[in-house]
Amino acid sequence: MTPRLQKLYDLLRQAGLAPKERLGEVTVELRAAEYQAACLKLRDSAELRFEQLMDLCGVDYSTYGGHAREGGRFAVVVHLLSVTHNWRLRVRCMFADDEFPVLPSLHEIWPSVNWYEREAFDLFGVVFDGHPDLRRILTDYGFIGHPFRKDFPISGHVEMRYDPEQKRVVYQPVTIEPREVTPRIVREEHYGEGRG
């Protein structure tokens, strides 16, 4: 670990957080109950001063074996930047309840999180309590489900097309037949002969 990274690691431990270092990056893992208070501490502590939230995204660990023991299926990952100290931090919060993942909104701490939280809500189904305008941002208004969840069907549930008789766009169940793609190997007639 570099001296700068070691300093950040030590400051996070002194602040009562449990950092982990891996591949030259520091991550703080939080429970939902401590998420908002810890983020406020990361922003306001003079030693840390993470003034800027760079990104927030949802994660679905349903097919990733090791994370079932650490928490639930879903997580939210936040990337922070301290302009004052020129260091970065990843914050990850796992959910205990896979059926209804809820976190408090960080909108009051970092207003730039507004659209990121809307995106995580739309694509993963994570609810951010206290968000000023939590509604879909990328999918259609009547869309059902959350397309970045790993159990969401690749072809979706509905398709839309223009109906010339009705002179409007109509929605209907997906008509794509599931198919199995088997790779075909094409070789020349005497492939491999005479090579020794």
Side-chain angles (χ1 to χ4, degrees), residues 126-193:
V126 176
V127 175
F128 293 93
D129 190 32
H131 190 282
D133 186 22
L134 194 61
R135 59 190 163 104
R136 292 192 180 272
I137 192 169
L138 295 171
T139 57
D140 198 11
Y141 294 113
F143 193 86
I144 296 171
H146 305 286
F148 278 14
R149 288 186 175 192
K150 292 187 179 174
D151 56 0
F152 191 83
I154 292 174
S155 60
H157 297 291
V158 296
E159 63 186 10
M160 59 185 219
R161 65 174 178 79
Y162 180 77
D163 187 342
E165 293 175 9
Q166 297 181 35
K167 295 188 181 345
R168 67 181 185 96
V169 174
V170 295
Y171 293 87
Q172 61 191 39
V174 173
T175 57
I176 299 172
E177 292 295 322
R179 63 182 181 160
E180 185 175 320
V181 180
T182 307
R184 198 176 96 189
I185 300 171
V186 179
R187 293 196 175 127
E188 297 171 4
E189 190 174 328
H190 300 287
Y191 178 81
E193 292 179 13

Side-chain angles (χ1 to χ4, degrees), residues 84-104:
T84 304
H85 301 293
N86 191 25
W87 50 40
R88 294 174 185 267
L89 177 68
R90 178 185 304 114
V91 176
R92 184 173 70 163
C93 185
M94 301 291 289
F95 296 97
D97 184 6
D98 292 340
E99 298 300 317
F100 190 63
V102 179
L103 274 181

Side-chain angles (χ1 to χ4, degrees), residues 16-33:
L17 303 169
K20 294 180 180 180
E21 187 272 334
R22 185 166 183 263
L23 301 172
E25 297 177 349
V26 177
T27 302
V28 172
E29 296 189 2
L30 302 170
R31 292 186 305 272

Side-chain angles (χ1 to χ4, degrees), residues 60-73:
D60 183 351
Y61 288 113
S62 67
T63 58
Y64 191 75
H67 287 278
R69 68 182 183 280
E70 293 178 21
R73 170 181 169 181

